[in-house]
């Protein structure tokens, strides 16, 4: 991936994570022979799409965004460029594909879900676990590259991904990044293809900066 995630643990500066389609970890600042792989392939691993991507300059089926929770070590969120949102709460021993809680293996929406439905195959551009609450995470998606969409996809969960709330408010801006204010959990910053936005009320209203 052009922008492979490189993430330093907020709990131990000697721990560094680097992502491919797997999450790799070093406990010794990345020194040789200290790397271990702590995840399976977290992408959809669609071989047809992977072969097609080799004909272009755009990679596919890789982890694009990764974060460790600032609240508790070993709680990992990862998002792939083919739409998988993954969570581990035990230091990478087990991973849960949050996306597949809402869709079947063919990508068809499951019935009876509560709250908003996160996308199935949009590019996960950012996972942002909250520094103020362990079970809260913000996630953004973009459909611009794969579906030629201008839709904004901004979601938040407060229960480790079981249910989601849509914070996009109908904006038509492909979203690239979201940041939670480190001091005030009500304040979020949103980077889009058409400008920078901020909310002072946890996403109820957005204003352009």
């Amino acid at each position: 991936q052009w922008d492979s995630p490189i993430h330093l643990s907020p709990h131990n500066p000697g721990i560094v994570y680097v992502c491919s389609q797997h999450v790799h970890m070093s406990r010794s600042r990345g020194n040789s022979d200290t790397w271990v792989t702590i995840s399976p392939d977290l992408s959809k691993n669609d071989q047809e799409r992977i072969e097609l991507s080799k004909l272009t300059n755009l990679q596919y089926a890789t982890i694009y965004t990764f974060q460790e929770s600032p609240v508790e070590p070993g709680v990992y969120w990862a998002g792939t460029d083919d739409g998988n949102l993954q969570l581990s709460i035990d230091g990478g021993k087990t991973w849960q594909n949050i996306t597949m809680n809402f869709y079947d293996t063919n990508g068809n929406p499951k019935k009876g879900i509560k709250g908003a439905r996160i996308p199935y195959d949009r590019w996960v551009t950012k996972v942002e676990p909250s520094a103020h609450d362990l079970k809260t995470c913000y996630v953004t998606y973009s459909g611009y590259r794969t579906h030629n969409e201008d839709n904004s996809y901004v979601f938040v969960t407060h229960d480790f991904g079981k249910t989601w709330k849509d914070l996009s408010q109908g904006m038509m801006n492909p979203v690239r990044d979201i940041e939670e204010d480190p001091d005030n959990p009500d304040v979020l910053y949103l980077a889009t293809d058409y400008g920078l936005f901020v909310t002072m009320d946890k996403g109820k209203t957005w204003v352009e900066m």
Side-chain angles (χ1 to χ4, degrees):
Q1 182 52 260
W2 283 14
D3 301 307
S4 297
I6 302 174
H7 179 67
L8 297 179
S9 172
H11 308 283
N12 182 339
I15 297 178
V16 59
Y17 305 92
V18 175
C19 299
S20 55
Q21 69 270 40
H22 305 274
V23 180
H24 312 279
M25 178 182 70
S26 166
R27 295 186 179 275
S28 301
R29 294 179 170 84
N31 289 332
S32 6
D33 300 323
T34 66
W35 289 97
V36 294
T37 300
I38 61 169
S39 82
D41 185 342
L42 298 183
S43 75
K44 289 185 170 65
N45 192 21
D46 184 330
Q47 290 300 311
E48 183 178 350
R49 293 289 296 274
I50 291 171
E51 290 300 317
L52 184 62
S53 73
K54 293 178 181 179
L55 304 177
T56 73
N57 63 353
L58 293 174
Q59 300 306 308
Y60 197 72
T62 67
I63 299 168
Y64 187 79
T65 176
F66 173 88
Q67 294 280 346
E68 181 179 21
S69 168
V71 178
E72 184 173 309
V75 175
Y76 305 138
W77 291 86
T80 68
D81 56 17
D82 56 6
N84 277 352
L85 177 63
Q86 303 268 7
L87 169 67
S88 175
I89 60 174
D90 55 10
K93 294 178 182 177
T94 60
W95 290 83
Q96 179 185 4
N97 190 335
I98 302 295
T99 305
M100 299 314 295
N101 291 339
F102 298 86
Y103 300 88
D104 64 22
T105 54
N106 295 318
N108 299 312
K110 292 181 179 179
K111 297 180 180 179
I113 70 160
K114 297 180 179 179
R117 186 188 302 276
I118 58 176
Y120 173 71
D121 58 353
R122 270 52 173 183
W123 175 16
V124 187
T125 53
K126 183 64 181 292
V127 290
E128 175 76 356
S130 173
H132 305 281
D133 179 70
L134 176 62
K135 296 183 178 181
T136 294
C137 185
Y138 299 90
V139 180
T140 62
Y141 297 77
S142 173
Y144 182 77
R145 189 180 80 173
T146 54
H147 295 76
N148 197 28
E149 291 177 343
D150 279 343
N151 302 53
S152 292
Y153 295 104
V154 186
F155 297 90
V156 63
T157 180
H158 300 293
D159 54 10
F160 277 144
K162 294 177 182 177
T163 58
W164 294 87
K165 182 178 180 182
D166 184 354
L167 303 181
S168 66
Q169 303 303 331
M171 288 189 293
M172 295 295 291
N173 301 328
V175 179
R176 300 302 302 271
D177 196 1
I178 190 168
E179 295 287 339
E180 180 190 55
D181 191 278
D183 299 315
N184 186 344
D186 292 344
V187 179
L188 303 168
Y189 306 94
L190 193 69
T192 79
D193 283 359
Y194 303 133
L196 182 64
F197 294 79
V198 64
T199 177
M200 305 292 185
D201 52 16
K202 294 186 177 181
K204 294 178 182 177
T205 55
W206 294 93
V207 294
E208 191 168 5
M209 292 188 69

